[in-house]
Amino acid sequence: MIVRISGEDQYRLADEDAAKLNQLEDGVVAVVESGRADGFGDAYGALLEFVRTRGTPVAEDEIETSDVILPPSDLTFVEAGSEFTGEGLIPD
Amino acid sequence: MTAKKRLQMQESSLQQSVVKLDTQARQAVSSGHEDLARAALERKNVAQTELQSLDGQVAELEQQQQKLTDSEQKLRAKIEAFRTKKEVIKAQYSAAEAQVRISEAATGVGEQMADVGLAMQRAVDKTENMRARADAVQELEAAGTFDDLTALGPGEDDIDKQLKELSSKPAVDDELAKMKSEIGPGDAATAGQISPPSQAPPEGQQT
């Protein structure tokens, strides 16, 4: 699957990593829904780091549409409230 | 004026205030005016805190500038790739099939374009926030917060009160104690260099 981190890059993730990605996102949703602002940075950071390290950047001259677009890394807890609820950005 | 330039100007003016207030505190200590020294250090503390926050903001702006430059670069590359791909598709497929494939590729470029737009919008929002903060600091400055302590009139009492609440007291206590140990206790009776706020300087006499 192709994942874009807004403001950064597009990454190509192997199918087996998609499950782990979903799991990490569920963690972010849980933090947001419980209102724990101090835990958000770590949870969202872990999600982005997973994409950056496990994914391969899509080449600049390759044109792909993303399956998932993740918000930028400087997303605030308040902004996250409108993005990470229910199923989150990645459909379960 | 660009946001960065404005922040930098404010930084240099705050730096001057820090130096000035430090000098005043030392003078006050050596002349035994502990209250005045404390007031100067409280102000210095506020100015330093502002300065640190400005440093962070300038760094953030620079980072943001770099990010926008990078994403502009990426968008250019995608558009270039799109042009090439379009020609290849046209040469390989029937008109109808080419149409479908080209519009698919256009969607991909559109996504990249939307992302640049979003990054720009965030940069604008952040700059606005910084501007609002810079305005607030400017108001503090205009209110005489970082001015010459000896030139303050009697109406400035409320500023002093607010500053005391703002500045962290232990830090001021520590610095005052340090200054006193460096300079040694002064003698208020013989002090002439600095005096508590009294009358306004004789201004506007030329009529």
Side-chain angles (χ1 to χ4, degrees):
Chain A
M1 80 193 291
I2 308 275
V3 180
R4 175 187 290 277
I5 301 178
S6 186
E8 290 177 38
D9 270 311
Q10 271 181 311
Y11 295 89
R12 188 172 270 112
L13 280 179
D15 288 343
E16 57 263 36
D17 285 331
K20 172 75 178 161
L21 185 71
N22 209 344
Q23 204 182 323
L24 283 167
E25 205 218 4
D26 286 347
V28 177
V29 172
V31 168
V32 170
E33 287 186 342
S34 68
R36 283 181 287 133
D38 55 338
F40 173 70
D42 286 346
Y44 193 49
L47 174 69
L48 294 181
E49 205 41 37
F50 179 78
V51 176
R52 291 187 198 115
T53 50
R54 296 289 299 179
T56 334
V58 172
E60 286 203 343
D61 58 357
E62 228 181 310
I63 301 169
E64 295 281 0
T65 35
S66 306
D67 299 299
V68 177
I69 300 179
L70 295 171
S73 57
D74 59 359
L75 189 78
T76 63
F77 180 70
V78 175
E79 290 173 319
S82 58
E83 309 260 10
F84 293 98
T85 47
E87 280 195 355
L89 297 167
I90 308 162
D92 286 330
Chain B
M1 201 191 313
T2 67
K4 190 174 157 190
K5 180 135 193 182
R6 196 178 144 133
L7 288 175
Q8 281 169 336
M9 276 174 66
Q10 218 163 33
E11 267 195 314
S12 84
S13 126
L14 277 172
Q15 263 155 3
Q16 283 170 18
S17 298
V18 167
V19 172
K20 190 176 68 191
L21 289 167
D22 186 78
T23 311
Q24 287 195 328
R26 280 170 196 282
Q27 285 173 351
V29 166
S30 66
S31 63
H33 287 110
E34 192 173 325
D35 276 3
L36 212 52
R38 183 178 293 278
L41 288 179
E42 271 157 4
R43 280 153 194 254
K44 183 185 152 189
N45 207 289
V46 174
Q48 269 173 328
T49 310
E50 273 319 313
L51 206 51
Q52 269 168 17
S53 135
L54 283 179
D55 273 343
Q57 288 180 49
V58 170
E60 205 181 315
L61 267 185
E62 279 168 354
Q63 213 185 340
Q64 218 153 47
Q65 229 166 13
Q66 188 54 50
K67 255 185 152 176
L68 283 180
T69 312
D70 288 350
S71 55
E72 190 207 345
Q73 195 83 44
K74 272 175 209 155
L75 183 56
R76 274 178 201 282
K78 291 275 186 229
I79 290 170
E80 197 44 54
F82 176 71
R83 284 208 183 103
T84 314
K85 191 167 182 173
K86 202 170 77 175
E87 293 315 311
V88 173
I89 290 172
K90 273 191 197 160
Q92 280 179 345
Y93 298 94
S94 71
E97 178 76 10
Q99 194 72 53
V100 172
R101 285 175 186 263
I102 289 169
S103 77
E104 269 172 16
T107 309
V109 178
E111 183 187 311
Q112 188 81 35
M113 228 179 259
D115 198 51
V116 175
L118 192 77
M120 293 264 278
Q121 188 54 52
R122 281 184 86 78
V124 168
D125 289 350
K126 273 197 181 164
T127 311
E128 280 304 310
N129 281 340
M130 285 182 194
R131 193 180 291 271
R133 203 186 153 84
D135 283 346
V137 175
Q138 214 150 42
E139 268 173 42
L140 273 182
E141 279 194 295
T145 308
F146 308 121
D147 282 354
D148 190 341
L149 267 179
T150 55
L152 284 181
E156 258 87 10
D157 289 14
D158 56 329
I159 294 181
D160 284 322
K161 224 174 85 194
Q162 283 174 27
L163 283 175
K164 274 190 191 110
E165 284 160 12
L166 267 175
S167 62
S168 58
K169 207 164 168 296
V172 171
D173 284 342
D174 286 354
E175 203 174 354
L176 186 60
K178 198 172 148 237
M179 234 175 224
K180 275 159 85 177
S181 74
E182 277 170 22
I183 299 172
D187 182 0
T190 60
Q193 276 184 302
I194 198 167
S195 54
S198 53
Q199 284 163 326
E203 267 178 69
Q205 283 179 340
Q206 67 280 34
T207 41

